[in-house]
Amino acid sequence: MSFRSIPLAFVLLLLCACSTTSRYRIIAYAFNDTDIPRMGAEKLTHINYAFGLVSTDGLIVLDEKAPPRLAQLGALKTKNPQLKILLSVGGWGADHFSDAALTDASREKFATSALDVLREHRLDGIDLDWEYPGQPGPGIKYRAEDKQNFTLMLKALREKLGDAYLITIASSAGEYFEHTEMDRLHVYLDWINIMTYDFAGEWTPTTGHHSALHGDGLSAASFVRQHLDAGIPPSKIVMGVPFYGRGWTGVNPLNNGFNQPYAKAIEVSWSGMAAQSGERLWDDEAQAPYVWDAQSTTFISYDDPRSLRVKADFIRKHRLGGVMYWEHSQDPDEELLSVLAESLQR
C-alpha cells in the first residue's frame, strides 16, 4: 500500500499520536506575582492556582484578584489545548479545613461549593493544600478526628465531582502520615503532590539542605519511599521541587557552613541566585548544590539545573507521576522549568 492511498484522517491520527506529550506531569503553582500571560504553557501539563480559601462557614471562596487571573490561566489553553487548570485551596496558615471536614453535612456543603467554583470558572479540578490535618499550625484549628475526616472529605469530593474533574492534594511525610490515612485516601485522588522541600529553614537550629534528593536525614527519596510503602501507586506520586533557596547568614564557617548554627535565615528566589556571591559547591551524597560565601558567612541551599536533571532521572527510574514546583514567579525566565521540560518530555 502506498502512503498516498492511506486516508487523510488516519494520517492525521497518526501524527497526533506521535506528537502527544510525555506521560510525566509537569505542574506549576502560580502564586501572587506570577506573570500569567508569559507562562510557557507548552512546557506544562497542569497549573495550580494558589490559593482559594475555606470560609468560616465551610465554603471554598476566592478573593477579588482570583477571577481575572483564573481567566488568564484559561487563556493559556490557546497555546496548549491539553493544559489543565486546577484551583489549589489552602496553603500555610489557611484555616477552617477541620470544621469543613467535621460532619457529613459540612463535607457535603464543602464538596458542593467546590463543584460550583469549578463550574463557574471553567476549571479542570481542585488541589487541597491542608497544612496540616491533626497538627497545629499558625493559629489553625485541628482535631484528632481530622485523620479520618480528611479521608471522608476527599470521598465526598470524589462523589460530588465524579471523574469529570481532577482531585489532588499536597502532602508531606513523617508525622504527616501519623495524622492521615494515606493508605486509604489515595483511591479518591488522581495524584499526590509531595512537598519535598523545606527540610531546613528558620525552624531548624542549623543550616542544611532544604531539598536534598538523598541523605541520612530528611530527603526527597525518603518522602517518596514513605508514600510507596503506604501502597500509593508510583504513577500517583508527584515529586515537588523548590524554585527558591533557603539560606542563612552569620553562619559558623566550619565545614563550609554546612550543618552549622547561624544568626539569621533568609530566602532567595532562583532568579535572585545569580546575584549571590560565594563558591558554588556540590554534595555528592545529597545530590544537591549549595553556595558558601566565606566572606559574608552565608550558606544557601537550593535546586539548580544539575540537581533537577538528577531528580528527573529519579522520577523516570521509579516510574513516578511527574514533578511539581513552587512557584512560577521565582523563575520568570523559565530556566529551571525548561530543564524539567527537556528532562521529562523527551
Side-chain angles (χ1 to χ4, degrees), residues 34-51:
T34 300
D35 188 350
I36 292 173
R38 283 190 59 205
M39 294 182 77
E42 69 284 354
K43 303 172 189 176
L44 297 164
T45 61
H46 303 79
I47 300 175
N48 290 347
Y49 176 79
F51 287 104

Side-chain angles (χ1 to χ4, degrees), residues 289-346:
Y290 62 100
V291 167
W292 170 242
D293 186 342
Q295 184 172 355
S296 65
T297 61
T298 298
F299 179 98
I300 304 175
S301 168
Y302 64 111
D303 262 326
D304 68 357
R306 179 180 178 182
S307 65
L308 291 185
R309 290 188 183 98
V310 172
K311 289 182 175 180
D313 288 344
F314 180 91
I315 289 167
R316 296 170 69 91
K317 177 181 177 181
H318 295 279
R319 302 180 182 275
L320 304 183
V323 66
M324 70 83 170
Y325 61 87
W326 179 269
E327 47 89 13
H328 192 84
S329 71
Q330 295 165 321
D331 178 34
D333 295 327
E334 300 186 351
E335 296 172 298
L336 297 184
L337 173 56
S338 295
V339 170
L340 293 175
E342 292 163 6
S343 300
L344 292 174
Q345 293 180 346
R346 62 174 184 251

Side-chain angles (χ1 to χ4, degrees), residues 23-25 190-192 194 224-225 227-228 231-239 315 317-322:
R23 73 177 183 87
Y24 297 103
R25 306 176 189 98
D190 290 278
W191 67 83
I192 295 168
I194 312 178
V224 168
R225 173 50 54 193
H227 284 70
L228 291 171
I232 300 168
S235 62
K236 282 191 173 184
I237 294 174
V238 171
M239 178 188 289
I315 289 167
K317 177 181 177 181
H318 295 279
R319 302 180 182 275
L320 304 183

